Amino acid sequence: MRTLATTNLSGPVTEFILLGFPCRREIQILLFVVFSLIYLLTLMGNTSIICAVWSSRKLHTPMYILLANFSFLEICYVSSDVPKMLANLISQTKSISYTGCLLQFYFFFSMCAAEGLFLSVMSFDRFLAICRPLHYPTIMTHHLCAQLVIFCWVGGFLWLLTPLTLISQMPFCGPNTIDHFLCDLAPLLALSCTPVTEITLTCGIISSLIIFLTFLYILGTYCCVLSTVLQVPTGLGRQKAFSTCASHLAVVSLFYGSVMVMYVSPGSGDYHGMQKFVTLFYALATPFFNPMIYNFRNKDMKEALKKWVGGSG
């Protein structure tokens, strides 16, 4: 049986060892149970949003169509890394093939990029609804909504093609141990046999661009929304407008807060414990909280969920 000790390898690396959470066996089993429960609740919560939107004609609007696609993205997002993490918690080898590692990196970060694009499109939808209410029905049509959904999905996966291609051309000859629970960019770059300054710079620019461009766009749209809301004469109208945006802003804060701590804060990559914790937060906790944020704060969604549960019961 292979051990976790590694290793200068005599040939090219064919697999990596994901150290994950090195601790006593009892603690690993406890983590497995906790993470499994969170994973299942995440799947159930996001699936409930999709089913509620699908079953309620009242929710067949661009806002909720975007939300349903966002929930499906969260299911794919959390499933790209958590099952392997759970398997490694109860496994002795904790290995992942070279191809599997590259695919995990590509799918996880492609969906991370797609999430930023979806959050931007959802903020655009709220901007139109609040700042251009009379033009909203003619601008945000179902046709445009479908185009935006395709843009988010395709854009996220195209954005990561260049980093994937660059990493696949890097030579790995050992050691092959990744002190993480997934194939993240920084640990992979650190394992290259040769200096990869240009690749590191290129990948850093690409990842930073998607983070900052989408974040700045969302920030700009909500500055416009806030300015419009403050001009609403009645307190009730102002409260309704704030309530409409509160759920989306909470999700934006959770996602970008953790991502920026991870990839933008100076020296964040130097502390493996913090690196794992922050990655775990936006990889597992954010998709877990999203359904609760949207379901608890949205009256139409709560009513649709009650009808769906009652109809399926």
Side-chain angles (χ1 to χ4, degrees), residues 102-128:
L102 292 186
L103 288 176
Q104 185 189 66
F105 163 82
Y106 177 64
F107 281 105
F108 178 79
F109 288 102
S110 291
M111 284 180 280
C112 187
E115 182 158 347
L117 294 175
F118 264 109
L119 290 172
S120 300
V121 168
M122 292 165 78
S123 69
F124 172 67
D125 175 75
R126 292 301 84 207
F127 165 78
L128 288 179

Side-chain angles (χ1 to χ4, degrees), residues 174-215:
N176 66 336
T177 301
I178 298 176
D179 188 10
H180 214 311
F181 61 85
L182 58 78
C183 293
D184 203 348
L185 178 61
L188 281 173
L189 293 174
L191 293 181
S192 174
C193 298
T194 59
V196 287
T197 306
E198 293 183 0
I199 294 179
T200 303
L201 180 62
T202 302
C203 292
I205 291 173
I206 291 174
S207 61
S208 297
L209 274 176
I210 191 68
I211 294 172
F212 281 109
L213 288 178
T214 54
F215 178 73

Side-chain angles (χ1 to χ4, degrees), residues 154-287:
V154 175
F157 281 88
L158 288 179
W159 196 271
L160 266 294
L161 277 179
T162 298
L164 176 69
T165 302
L166 293 175
I167 292 175
S168 66
Q169 295 173 353
M170 288 166 47
F172 295 100
C173 52
N176 66 336
T177 301
I178 298 176
D179 188 10
H180 214 311
F181 61 85
L182 58 78
C183 293
D184 203 348
L185 178 61
L188 281 173
L189 293 174
L191 293 181
S192 174
C193 298
T194 59
V196 287
T197 306
E198 293 183 0
I199 294 179
T200 303
L201 180 62
T202 302
C203 292
I205 291 173
I206 291 174
S207 61
S208 297
L209 274 176
I210 191 68
I211 294 172
F212 281 109
L213 288 178
T214 54
F215 178 73
L216 290 175
Y217 178 80
I218 294 170
L219 189 63
T221 56
Y222 272 100
C223 284
C224 296
V225 168
L226 180 61
S227 175
T228 301
V229 168
L230 292 177
Q231 296 175 21
V232 175
T234 63
L236 182 61
R238 187 178 300 177
Q239 182 181 355
K240 184 177 180 181
F242 272 124
S243 179
T244 303
C245 301
S247 299
H248 185 247
L249 279 174
V251 173
V252 168
S253 301
L254 278 172
F255 178 72
Y256 283 99
S258 56
V259 169
M260 286 188 175
V261 166
M262 180 66 200
Y263 294 103
V264 180
S265 296
S268 60
D270 297 337
Y271 304 97
H272 296 299
M274 178 60 71
Q275 187 181 49
K276 292 179 190 178
F277 175 77
V278 177
T279 305
L280 186 66
F281 185 84
Y282 73 77
L284 186 60
T286 303

Side-chain angles (χ1 to χ4, degrees), residues 43-56 59 295 300-313:
L43 297 182
M44 291 171 60
N46 285 285
T47 300
S48 69
I49 290 179
I50 297 171
C51 293
V53 173
W54 180 268
S55 62
S56 175
L59 301 185
N295 289 345
D300 292 335
M301 182 62 69
K302 286 190 285 188
E303 291 177 356
L305 281 171
K306 289 179 182 178
K307 291 181 180 179
W308 174 69
V309 171
S312 61

